[in-house]
Structures are given as C-alpha cells and as structure tokens.
Amino acid sequence: MKHAIKNKLVLLFFAFGILMFQACSDDDDNNIDESPSAAEGSVELKFDHVWGPAEANFELNTEYTHPATSEAITFTKLRYYVSNVVLQKSDGSEWREDQSYHIVDVASDDTNLRLQNMPAGDYVGISFTIGVDSARNVSGAQTGALDPSENMFWSWNSGYIFIKAEGNSPASVDGSFTYHLGGFSEPNSAIREVSLDFGESTLRIAPNTEPAVHLMANAARFWHGGISLNDMSNVHMPGSNASILATNFAGGFRFDHIHN
Amino acid sequence: MICVERTVGLFVLLLFAAACSKNDGQEPSKASDVFEVPAHFPPPVYHVGEVGIGSGGFELGKRLFYDSRLSRDGTISCGSCHAQVHAFADHSSALSVGIDGNISKRNAPALTNLAWYPDFMWDGGINHIEVMPIAPLTDPNEMDNDLSELVNYLQQNTAYPDEFEEVFGSKQIDSQKILLAIAAFQGSIVSYRSKYDDYLTGQSQLSALEMDGKNIFEAQCSSCHSGVLLTDFSFRNNGLDSTFADAGRATITQNEADMGKFKVPSLRNVSLTNPYMHDGRIPTLRQVLDHYSEGIVESKTLDESLRDGLALTEAEKDALVAFLQTLTDYELLGDSRFHEP
C-alpha cells in the first residue's frame, strides 16, 4: 500500500511538472537549455524472439513443434509489457528509466526499446518487469503505452493484460489458444521481474554512440515443464494458470550480447 | 491516504503558482465548478477534476456523455440508459437495450455520488471512476465501440479538437482525455438535496409515517444500506436464488464464497430506479420489501442477516415505502447543469 501511495505521488509530481512546463513555456523559454548533457547517452534494447533450446528464429504464423510436448503450435499474436527498466552500473549504482512502460509486439517490425538520457559510464546488468506494476493498475486512465486503446486492458475487471499470446494448435480442444495474462493482486499476481547480468560484457554509454543490448525471449517457454495445450488453451483472467504461464514466459529471457 | 494526497496536491498547486510569476493572483481553475462535497457527506474517494484536466472539463464530459456518436453505429449515448429523470438510471427497464437491440447483462445503476464509490458495477470489477466508461463503450451489447476508433472519430470531428484544446491545452485527443472529461461530468453528479437530507441537516421534518419508516429502516436495513450514502459498498447474496445464473462477485474474485453476491446498491432516489435487483427482476419497492420479508431463498452464500427474513408487517412496509420516498432528490432531477446540451 505504501508503495502504491509513493507511486501515486510520483505521478502527481510528474503530471504537475508537465503542467508547470507548459504553463510557462510561452514566456520563459530563454531559460531552458536544450543541448544534451555532455555526460549522457542512449542504448537500444533489442528483443530477439526465438523458439526452444535450439533458439530457432521465431516468427508469427509459422508452425513450431514444442520440444517437451511435441505439440504443433502456431502463434498469431505475441505482445507484452516491458516496464520499469533499471540498468546497473559497474560502480553499483542504478539508472531507472522515467515513465518506463513499453509494449513489445512481435507483429511489429520494431521490437526494440530505445532508452535515452542515461548517464555515461559502464553498465553490467539490466532488470525489468514483464507486466505493469500494481500502482498503475489502480490509478485510473493512463496514456502512452498504458493507453487502454492498446487493447491490453480488461474493461470489466480493471487491470492490464501483461502478456497476450494467441494462436493455433491441433493439440487444443478447439484448435486454438488464447493466453491473456495479468493480475496484480496476490495470491495470483502475474507481475514478473527479470534480472539479467551482462557477464563478461560491458555496456558502454557515452554521448554520440549507439550501443545495443541483445536479449533473447523464448516463446516456447509458455509450456515449460511440459504443459499441454490440451489442458491449458484458454486463459483470459487473473488466476493460478495466468500466474504459472507468466512465470514460465518471464523465465525465457536471457542476455545474449552487446554491440558497443 | 486521502489526507496525504490532499496535502501533496496543495503543495503541488503552490509549486504551480510559484512557477509562473507572471500569472500571479490567478488560481488554476478546476475542471468542475459543479462538484461539491456536501457538509453532511464523508470525504470522497475521487477528487473530481483535480488532476490532469482543466477548466471546462465538466462541459466537455457532458457533451461526450450525451453524444450517441460515441457508440459504434451512432445510436446509443451514455445518457440513453442513464436518464436524469431517473436519477441517471434507465427508464424503468430491467435490462437495457444497447446496440442492434442487444440486451445488457445487468440492470443499469443510478450514476449519482460516484465520487464516493470504492469500485464500480454490480460485481465491483472496475476499480476507478476514470476507467469505468470503457466497459459500456466497448461492450458488444452496449455501445460496442473501439477506443482507437472513438479517438479517431473525435479527432476528425469539426468541433471536438478545439473543445479538447480548451480543456487540455492541446487538440490531440486520446482515450485518457476522453475518460478524464467523462469522469469530471459523472463524478459531479451528487445527490444530496432529498427530503431525507433536509431532515439530516435540520432543515425539514419527516411526517409521522416517514419517521416510523426511518426507525424500522435503521433497525432492519441500515446494517447494509448504511450511512449517508445508504450503502456499505459490500457484496452480499440477498436471497434471490438457490443456484446462480450470474456468479456476481465471484466472476471477479473466482472465489466460491462470493457466488451470487452483488454490490449493496445505494438507496438514494430508489423510488425512481425501478425495477430492482442486479437483473431488474422485482418491479416495485413494495415487492422488494415482500422479498426481504417473506421471499428469501436459501443458499450457501446467503447473507447471515437475511437467513430468517426480515418479517415485516404490512404496516411496517407502508412506513418503509414512505421513508424510502424521502430519498428522492427532486432538485437533482431538475438541475439544468446536468441537462442534455
């Protein structure tokens, strides 16, 4: 609860910060320094989607065979929230992206997130949430990636759909599967944290460079442990099944490499 | 929580004022001049029009509320099923007729005093006043629209972009602005001027019969229909069925113990919001009292307080109906600020 209040306060401050800026922009422009700080840079976060232990290139509308169940699976949609991105510096400090809410959509040509205005330096790891923190699930109408017109929001049972995976499989009773995964309340919260260490690699942030971090997201992981589509083909509300599938999918992210 | 937010809100407002020295003396105008917290009410849950929306938000929200073009085929507005003459409930319909003649799942509730609601709908599934309209706007049996298409429609309209600019400082429309504006209007509908309110504030007397009804009400009904809002906002099974065609609260919680439970409705303006219950199955107030007195149906999740029925005499029912009629807010029904523009 304290967490929720804090988030709400931060929101309030942010909202009014914008108001203040807008209200004064007509007459006070000359005080605003628009040149980027010399000590800042940006990075491209690239989500590469793969299938199974062999990490075959993953695409929608292509049939794959699940390595554990041997069931044939074709995705028609895979969309999910990546939020509250944090990068860890080599000196132990952290950089947190402001207003950090993104949708990764495999149907889109661009599954990259661009993080900007980070302090220059060496970074050794990243963490993020698959889903949307509980505060934003209970704070009313949102905008940007959290705009309900993204169709990632339940109208009748308020809350964000963190992950949408849809497709077809002959193993399913009705020939298809629909996973709309979400839920921000215990015992069935589907909010999942992912923390990835860069290992031997270092991300170097500096002005005028365009480094990229490549992360792998494994779509076969939904059925990790051998879950059959015959048993679980329709999940569209918070509950224990949504929680299991969210854990599985979030376990399928790994760090691959960095281009500095 | 409310205190913390208020304090911070005040602090931020001060910051806002301090940041714009050239606007000295001009307080930021609120989105709704209509919303007020009656002196005999508790503090609201939602502070209408205080964050993210500017002056004129109420008027813009009113236009949207009454605009049938918000539905997919342009035939149904919010006001179609939430009529001011019925305290913003439907026109005596058990279930509401939506798009293509489709029928809604449950009885349309009265939209008054929403700023005091902790959650919305008969099953409490919606957790915030701002996101509440998404359900009727997109429900295939109600307005069946798509939020992106709704935004596009308003953006292409000749008048709306200018109106949004006046309220939000930009012609760019998004769903958040639409929802904030509707919340500024809906949240401002406060029913607090009934004969019962006048009695509570010492401005009017109840008749002997009404007073009898009030005493019976306080003894028999007010454990659920409590306080000045006449509801405790809890979810209860009030003995309508032994098996449940509509799982009610359990639809949201997935908990067997919530089967057949629905939100205790506010009784404000109850004589205008017939028919009654979540599916509108009981036509009159008198029959509602008959139900609570002699018609309670046993089931596992039946509310303990109703297990034996309320055992009201016919004279007690007469008195209760007379009291319930004092909850009608005639000033609200005729308040031109809420009229369809």
Side-chain angles (χ1 to χ4, degrees):
Chain A
M1 202 61 204
K2 262 192 175 151
H3 190 61
I5 292 172
K6 199 174 147 201
N7 271 298
K8 222 167 176 184
L9 298 190
V10 169
L11 243 173
L12 259 174
F13 273 107
F14 182 75
F16 275 90
I18 287 178
L19 267 178
M20 280 199 279
F21 180 80
Q22 285 185 341
C24 303
S25 60
D26 288 343
D27 39 11
D28 286 333
D29 272 0
N30 32 0
N31 289 335
I32 296 166
D33 179 7
E34 287 185 356
S35 65
S37 160
E40 287 184 352
S42 61
V43 59
E44 200 87 43
L45 202 56
K46 291 181 183 279
F47 288 86
D48 297 329
H49 295 86
V50 296
W51 181 263
E55 298 195 331
N57 183 41
F58 173 80
E59 288 175 346
L60 301 181
N61 306 309
T62 302
E63 187 176 280
Y64 298 94
T65 302
H66 196 271
T69 63
S70 300
E71 292 173 354
I73 298 168
T74 304
F75 279 71
T76 54
K77 180 178 282 184
L78 179 55
R79 252 178 141 226
Y80 53 93
Y81 275 105
V82 171
S83 59
N84 299 328
V85 179
V86 180
L87 281 163
Q88 285 91 31
K89 247 180 166 175
S90 54
D91 64 6
S93 65
E94 288 183 337
W95 174 82
R96 290 171 180 274
E97 187 187 29
D98 191 29
Q99 298 299 305
S100 185
Y101 300 95
H102 310 269
I103 292 174
V104 174
D105 187 345
V106 177
S108 147
D109 292 334
D110 183 10
T111 55
N112 305 337
L113 310 185
R114 192 177 158 80
L115 310 177
Q116 289 176 297
N117 305 116
M118 309 161 53
D122 291 349
Y123 291 81
V124 298
I126 186 169
S127 60
F128 50 86
T129 299
I130 299 296
V132 177
D133 50 79
S134 60
R136 291 295 183 111
N137 279 278
V138 298
S139 303
Q142 306 290 317
T143 188
L146 297 176
D147 189 317
S149 65
E150 290 286 351
N151 291 320
M152 298 285 276
F153 186 82
W154 279 301
S155 63
W156 45 272
N157 187 2
S158 303
Y160 285 92
I161 301 169
F162 303 158
I163 303 164
K164 263 191 182 181
E166 298 173 10
N168 303 302
S169 171
S172 155
V173 175
D174 64 0
S176 66
F177 71 92
T178 305
Y179 294 160
H180 290 182
L181 312 178
F184 54 89
S185 313
E186 294 304 345
N188 290 315
S189 169
I191 300 171
R192 295 292 176 269
E193 306 300 327
V194 175
S195 287
L196 304 172
D197 196 285
F198 296 156
E200 302 292 299
S201 308
T202 301
L203 167 65
R204 296 204 176 81
I205 299 292
N208 307 316
T209 64
E210 288 293 332
V213 174
H214 284 253
L215 306 177
M216 298 289 191
N218 203 316
R221 281 290 293 225
F222 283 110
W223 301 278
H224 187 63
I227 294 172
S228 169
L229 277 153
N230 187 40
D231 299 327
M232 214 187 277
S233 59
N234 281 296
V235 178
H236 35 221
M237 63 187 309
S240 57
N241 284 349
S243 177
I244 291 165
L245 291 168
T247 300
N248 283 353
F249 182 60
F253 287 80
R254 73 166 186 84
F255 165 73
D256 195 64
H257 65 280
I258 290 171
H259 292 295
N260 275 310
Chain B
M1 177 141 173
I2 284 156
C3 283
V4 175
E5 278 176 25
R6 274 192 165 167
T7 313
V8 170
L10 198 71
F11 175 61
V12 172
L13 281 179
L14 285 172
L15 267 180
F16 181 52
C20 303
S21 52
K22 284 175 192 165
N23 291 338
D24 267 357
Q26 264 190 21
E27 285 186 23
S29 31
K30 285 172 59 171
S32 174
D33 298 326
V34 176
F35 178 67
E36 53 186 311
V37 178
H40 62 299
F41 273 37
V45 173
Y46 184 68
H47 299 273
V48 176
E50 284 190 6
V51 174
I53 182 167
S55 170
F58 172 88
E59 292 298 327
L60 176 59
K62 179 161 69 176
R63 273 206 58 188
L64 292 165
F65 184 89
Y66 285 112
D67 191 341
S68 61
R69 294 168 300 182
L70 266 61
S71 63
R72 174 178 43 80
D73 65 357
T75 57
I76 311 272
S77 73
C78 307
S80 299
C81 301
H82 296 283
Q84 186 173 0
V85 291
H86 288 275
F88 296 93
D90 204 353
H91 306 78
S92 307
S93 301
L95 302 175
S96 298
V97 180
I99 208 159
D100 298 335
N102 291 349
I103 305 295
S104 68
K105 190 179 166 197
R106 297 182 184 134
N107 181 252
L111 304 182
T112 65
N113 304 336
L114 297 185
W116 282 265
Y117 277 53
D119 48 42
F120 300 87
M121 304 298 172
W122 282 102
D123 58 20
I126 297 179
N127 65 21
H128 198 288
I129 188 174
E130 289 169 6
V131 296
M132 186 256 274
I134 301 171
L137 282 168
T138 60
D139 190 304
N141 293 325
E142 299 184 31
M143 296 165 81
D144 195 28
N145 214 337
D146 175 272
L147 287 181
S148 305
E149 287 185 18
L150 174 56
V151 169
N152 288 341
Y153 160 71
L154 295 175
Q155 197 74 66
Q156 305 305 321
N157 182 274
T158 50
Y160 274 117
D162 290 337
E163 293 180 32
F164 275 81
E165 184 177 28
E166 279 179 34
V167 176
F168 294 100
S170 161
K171 284 186 173 38
Q172 193 66 44
I173 299 171
D174 65 15
S175 78
Q176 185 187 46
K177 292 173 183 167
I178 295 168
L179 295 170
L180 284 170
I182 296 176
F185 174 68
Q186 290 194 132
S188 296
I189 304 172
V190 182
S191 179
Y192 66 102
R193 293 172 286 183
S194 67
K195 184 175 183 183
Y196 177 60
D197 291 292
D198 289 344
Y199 161 77
L200 289 177
T201 55
Q203 298 170 67
S204 172
Q205 299 286 316
L206 298 184
S207 73
L209 185 64
E210 290 163 351
M211 204 63 185
D212 282 350
K214 176 188 151 303
N215 291 332
I216 300 161
F217 183 85
E218 284 172 356
Q220 301 271 35
C221 316
S222 68
S223 61
C224 301
H225 296 286
S226 62
V228 74
L229 295 164
L230 298 151
T231 170
D232 65 355
F233 298 107
S234 62
F235 301 92
R236 296 173 192 259
N237 170 353
N238 63 347
L240 294 169
D241 297 300
S242 55
T243 57
F244 309 107
D246 184 339
R249 180 65 178 163
T251 313
I252 303 303
T253 62
Q254 298 293 292
N255 185 346
E256 281 286 313
D258 289 331
M259 281 296 284
K261 292 187 180 176
F262 294 89
K263 181 184 284 164
V264 173
S266 168
L267 298 183
R268 287 189 163 268
N269 303 296
V270 69
S271 69
L272 302 170
T273 61
N274 60 296
Y276 303 103
M277 306 304 164
H278 65 275
D279 53 6
R281 70 174 71 183
I282 302 185
T284 69
L285 271 183
R286 182 71 181 212
Q287 288 165 299
V288 169
L289 297 177
D290 292 341
H291 164 74
Y292 283 122
S293 182
E294 299 108 42
I296 294 293
V297 177
E298 276 286 334
S299 66
K300 227 175 170 179
T301 56
L302 174 65
D303 202 77
E304 278 307 318
S305 62
L306 295 173
R307 197 102 11 221
D308 302 320
L310 298 186
L312 302 165
T313 66
E314 295 309 302
E316 286 174 326
K317 291 176 192 172
D318 289 342
L320 272 171
V321 169
F323 169 68
L324 292 171
Q325 282 168 345
T326 71
L327 303 176
T328 302
D329 182 346
Y330 291 101
E331 289 194 52
L332 174 74
L333 306 180
D335 191 331
S336 61
R337 297 173 300 175
F338 302 113
H339 284 173
E340 184 165 356

